[in-house]
Amino acid sequence: MKASLVQLVDIPQRGDSRGGLSVAELGGALPFPVRRVYWIYGTEPGVSRGFHAHKKLRQLCVCVAGSVRMSLFDGRHEENIVLDSSAKGLLIGPGLWREMHDFSPDCVLMVFADAEYDESDYIRNRTEFMDYAASR
Ligand code: T46
């Protein structure tokens, strides 16, 4: 049986009567030391993002507000997951083509990465990705 491309981790919720508080820490929700954090927000209506894969990068994506549909493709299978909760994180390892669709206007997608930004780690061409996936 093939392993699911969608790997979700539970993010501990420590909110109380004052409001919410979610925790991502090493050894807990975070399976790797974080070297970079970025967040995607204010996405214009109808815009999709991503359309690339990474050769080495590991990331944990948490939708801390609103919702977004994440599409993952390994060269043969595609799986989709809607992220709409700060209680779930999506782990995306290397070798997966990712696209982000259907951003809600209030979506804030926070991404924890295990390496600094490196454009040479990206595969942004779909044909190149298919060759890369076939060779793995
Ligand atoms: C990913 C998905 C989920 C930087 O200079 N530093 C950074 O840390 C990042 C993430 C981007 N950039 C630059 C590179 C581009 O000129 O910001 C611009 C927009 O990046 P990009 O078009 O790659 O953004 P997305 O939303 O398509 O993809 C991003 C991440 O780049 C990518 O690693 O997995 O979010």
PDB file of all heavy atoms in Angstrom, residues 1-7 79:
ATOM      1  N   MET A   1       0.841  -1.194   0.000  1.00  0.00           N
ATOM      2  CA  MET A   1       0.000   0.000   0.000  1.00  0.00           C
ATOM      3  C   MET A   1       0.882   1.254   0.000  1.00  0.00           C
ATOM      4  O   MET A   1       1.875   1.284   0.714  1.00  0.00           O
ATOM      5  CB  MET A   1      -0.881   0.000   1.238  1.00  0.00           C
ATOM      6  CG  MET A   1      -2.123   0.827   1.065  1.00  0.00           C
ATOM      7  SD  MET A   1      -3.282   0.586   2.440  1.00  0.00           S
ATOM      8  CE  MET A   1      -2.527   1.566   3.726  1.00  0.00           C
ATOM      9  N   LYS A   2       0.531   2.230  -0.823  1.00  0.00           N
ATOM     10  CA  LYS A   2       1.398   3.403  -0.882  1.00  0.00           C
ATOM     11  C   LYS A   2       1.136   4.308   0.320  1.00  0.00           C
ATOM     12  O   LYS A   2       0.014   4.425   0.800  1.00  0.00           O
ATOM     13  CB  LYS A   2       1.174   4.138  -2.200  1.00  0.00           C
ATOM     14  CG  LYS A   2       0.167   5.244  -2.190  1.00  0.00           C
ATOM     15  CD  LYS A   2       0.029   5.859  -3.540  1.00  0.00           C
ATOM     16  CE  LYS A   2      -1.195   6.757  -3.598  1.00  0.00           C
ATOM     17  NZ  LYS A   2      -1.176   7.852  -2.636  1.00  0.00           N
ATOM     18  N   ALA A   3       2.256   4.939   0.790  1.00  0.00           N
ATOM     19  CA  ALA A   3       2.120   5.860   1.918  1.00  0.00           C
ATOM     20  C   ALA A   3       1.418   7.130   1.448  1.00  0.00           C
ATOM     21  O   ALA A   3       1.576   7.548   0.306  1.00  0.00           O
ATOM     22  CB  ALA A   3       3.499   6.188   2.458  1.00  0.00           C
ATOM     23  N   SER A   4       0.634   7.710   2.341  1.00  0.00           N
ATOM     24  CA  SER A   4      -0.059   8.948   1.990  1.00  0.00           C
ATOM     25  C   SER A   4       0.939  10.084   1.791  1.00  0.00           C
ATOM     26  O   SER A   4       1.937  10.198   2.519  1.00  0.00           O
ATOM     27  CB  SER A   4      -1.034   9.301   3.116  1.00  0.00           C
ATOM     28  OG  SER A   4      -1.636  10.544   2.840  1.00  0.00           O
ATOM     29  N   LEU A   5       0.689  10.913   0.795  1.00  0.00           N
ATOM     30  CA  LEU A   5       1.533  12.095   0.596  1.00  0.00           C
ATOM     31  C   LEU A   5       1.241  13.142   1.660  1.00  0.00           C
ATOM     32  O   LEU A   5       2.076  13.984   1.972  1.00  0.00           O
ATOM     33  CB  LEU A   5       1.273  12.700  -0.789  1.00  0.00           C
ATOM     34  CG  LEU A   5       1.461  11.782  -1.995  1.00  0.00           C
ATOM     35  CD1 LEU A   5       1.211  12.554  -3.286  1.00  0.00           C
ATOM     36  CD2 LEU A   5       2.850  11.176  -1.993  1.00  0.00           C
ATOM     37  N   VAL A   6       0.012  13.096   2.179  1.00  0.00           N
ATOM     38  CA  VAL A   6      -0.407  14.086   3.182  1.00  0.00           C
ATOM     39  C   VAL A   6      -0.005  13.589   4.568  1.00  0.00           C
ATOM     40  O   VAL A   6      -0.507  12.574   5.043  1.00  0.00           O
ATOM     41  CB  VAL A   6      -1.929  14.314   3.130  1.00  0.00           C
ATOM     42  CG1 VAL A   6      -2.386  15.163   4.293  1.00  0.00           C
ATOM     43  CG2 VAL A   6      -2.321  14.962   1.807  1.00  0.00           C
ATOM     44  N   GLN A   7       0.941  14.294   5.160  1.00  0.00           N
ATOM     45  CA  GLN A   7       1.388  13.951   6.512  1.00  0.00           C
ATOM     46  C   GLN A   7       0.985  15.075   7.458  1.00  0.00           C
ATOM     47  O   GLN A   7       1.573  16.174   7.409  1.00  0.00           O
ATOM     48  CB  GLN A   7       2.899  13.804   6.544  1.00  0.00           C
ATOM     49  CG  GLN A   7       3.413  12.504   5.963  1.00  0.00           C
ATOM     50  CD  GLN A   7       4.901  12.408   6.205  1.00  0.00           C
ATOM     51  OE1 GLN A   7       5.688  12.879   5.396  1.00  0.00           O
ATOM     52  NE2 GLN A   7       5.287  11.840   7.326  1.00  0.00           N
ATOM     53  N   GLU A  79      -2.542  14.286  -4.110  1.00  0.00           N
ATOM     54  CA  GLU A  79      -3.470  14.324  -2.977  1.00  0.00           C
ATOM     55  C   GLU A  79      -3.692  15.777  -2.585  1.00  0.00           C
ATOM     56  O   GLU A  79      -2.782  16.605  -2.703  1.00  0.00           O
ATOM     57  CB  GLU A  79      -2.917  13.541  -1.782  1.00  0.00           C
ATOM     58  CG  GLU A  79      -2.863  12.047  -2.034  1.00  0.00           C
ATOM     59  CD  GLU A  79      -2.314  11.265  -0.847  1.00  0.00           C
ATOM     60  OE1 GLU A  79      -2.384  11.762   0.296  1.00  0.00           O
ATOM     61  OE2 GLU A  79      -1.801  10.162  -1.094  1.00  0.00           O
TER      62      GLU A  79
END
